[in-house]
Amino acid sequence: MILPGFLYPGPLEVVSALLLATALDIVYPYHSGVMLKIHPVHTSYFMALRLFRPYSSRLRGALIWLAVMASHLAIYSALLYFAYRLSPVAWVIVAAYITKASMSARLLLEEVSSAGRGLLEGDLNAARRAAQGLVRRDLSKEDPGHVASAAIESLAESLNDGLVSPLFWYALLGPLGALAQRLVNTMDGALGFKDPEHIRAGWLSAWADTIVNYIPARVTAALIVIASAPHRSSGRALRAWLRCGRLTESRNAGRPMSAMAGSLGVMLEKRGSYTLCGEFGRLPEGRDVAEAVRVAAISSALLVLAEVIVLLLI
């Protein structure tokens, strides 16, 4: 596929923007004030909620999805185009911002680490509060094992949604590819529920998220398998992925989650929904959460390194 120059000017600019975006994510993981108000995840989420009406039709849901996607991609396409016409340096800066806004690695690792620290320090309420920010289900009465499980499940799934998948599409389509993935994922988070109020209006948001993340979810699982090599648990992670990856309702989430469960040698359980790798016979603890963060960090570094090499080669 040949893309217009302002979307994908050349390997040097694309790699430079990727590295700058990665550095920005490390040094500036949090958005607040004006930067939060203009963040595409923030604006797309609230635009979708404003347009949504409970029990809306499938057609209205599809139109909301198209309106949010088209408006945001048009704005950021224009920014990229004018930056491209200005200079290569300007393009790299704008592309880096768009890519940085489309990914989130450090914030994810820190939030999961907070849950792990709470468990290690014996402060279950602090662990619950930290993990609750990562999942939709109520953790207020969960035991330490299920709190740790929720944190690790979210880490594995969000590693795909917030890093691997946007960078996968970045490699194929440039900064707007990363942004499009993030918008799709945000629309799923806004409308893609299966309760009566959302199930019809959210159908396109849910299916688009499944399709866009299908390959990246399996790439994420593979990265977790490779990142488990230092502790000689790669084989266990691979077997867990192949054996348990289909056990979640989501076609994608179970892949990285089961690989992470195998890497740690623990079972992951969401009450009433699924139990992954129950043969390991124990729920995770605080030390397992810390180890999961380490595996995710190695996976992230491997992804960026591999992507830089591939982009320079092509």
Side-chain angles (χ1 to χ4, degrees):
M1 180 187 298
I2 304 300
L3 297 174
F6 78 95
L7 294 181
Y8 209 116
L12 183 58
E13 291 90 343
V14 173
V15 168
S16 298
L18 171 60
L19 293 176
L20 180 56
T22 303
L24 288 172
D25 183 65
I26 293 171
V27 301
Y28 182 61
Y30 303 96
H31 292 265
S32 60
V34 175
M35 296 305 293
L36 176 61
K37 290 183 181 297
I38 66 171
H39 196 288
V41 171
H42 180 88
T43 56
S44 61
Y45 184 83
F46 283 100
M47 180 179 177
L49 293 185
R50 282 186 173 277
L51 295 174
F52 171 72
R53 298 291 182 274
Y55 308 102
S56 296
S57 67
R58 291 165 67 93
L59 176 59
R60 184 183 181 95
L63 292 175
I64 292 172
W65 189 89
L66 290 171
V68 173
M69 295 292 297
S71 60
H72 282 75
L73 291 175
I75 291 169
Y76 287 97
S77 293
L79 288 175
L80 269 182
Y81 176 77
F82 288 118
Y84 176 74
R85 294 297 299 269
L86 187 61
S87 73
V89 173
W91 187 93
V92 168
I93 293 172
V94 172
Y97 166 73
I98 294 172
T99 307
K100 192 269 184 217
S102 305
M103 58 187 276
S104 179
R106 181 182 166 185
L107 181 59
L108 171 65
L109 297 178
E110 289 187 351
E111 289 180 339
V112 176
S113 294
S114 294
R117 280 195 303 274
L119 292 170
L120 287 170
E121 295 169 0
D123 190 342
L124 180 55
N125 287 330
R128 284 171 175 162
R129 287 194 298 271
Q132 189 64 76
L134 298 165
V135 297
R136 295 174 180 172
R137 63 186 184 267
D138 181 18
L139 299 178
S140 61
K141 297 181 181 179
E142 288 287 15
D143 56 70
H146 285 92
V147 171
S149 179
I152 293 171
E153 292 165 45
S154 182
L155 172 62
E157 184 176 6
S158 297
L159 180 64
N160 173 64
D161 293 341
L163 183 69
V164 177
S165 191
L167 293 192
F168 173 85
W169 290 106
Y170 179 91
L172 292 179
L173 301 173
L176 287 190
L179 178 62
Q181 183 279 337
R182 200 62 179 149
L183 293 173
V184 166
N185 187 246
T186 302
M187 291 299 296
D188 181 51
L191 303 181
F193 301 99
K194 293 191 174 181
D195 58 82
E197 292 186 3
H198 294 84
I199 192 166
R200 288 186 299 170
W203 72 275
L204 180 56
S205 297
W207 270 106
D209 185 72
T210 298
I211 293 168
V212 165
N213 289 309
Y214 187 87
I215 295 175
R218 286 137 184 91
V219 173
T220 305
L223 286 167
I224 291 172
V225 169
I226 297 169
S228 303
H231 282 193
R232 300 181 180 179
S233 56
S234 287
R236 190 174 63 194
L238 177 60
R239 290 190 296 272
W241 167 19
L242 297 177
R243 186 173 60 252
C244 305
R246 299 185 183 90
L247 298 183
T248 58
E249 184 178 5
S250 167
R251 290 173 172 80
N252 297 327
R255 271 61 182 188
M257 286 163 51
S258 58
M260 186 67 82
S263 175
L264 303 174
V266 300
M267 67 179 185
L268 300 177
E269 184 174 71
K270 179 180 179 180
R271 295 184 194 271
S273 296
Y274 55 76
T275 299
L276 299 179
C277 303
E279 65 274 14
F280 292 126
R282 72 176 183 91
L283 287 166
E285 304 170 0
R287 59 185 174 86
D288 298 305
V289 177
E291 176 62 15
V293 170
R294 187 191 68 84
V295 171
I298 294 174
S299 301
S300 302
L302 288 173
L303 172 69
V304 174
L305 177 61
E307 187 148 330
V308 167
I309 293 172
V310 170
L311 289 172
L312 289 176
L313 288 177
I314 64 174

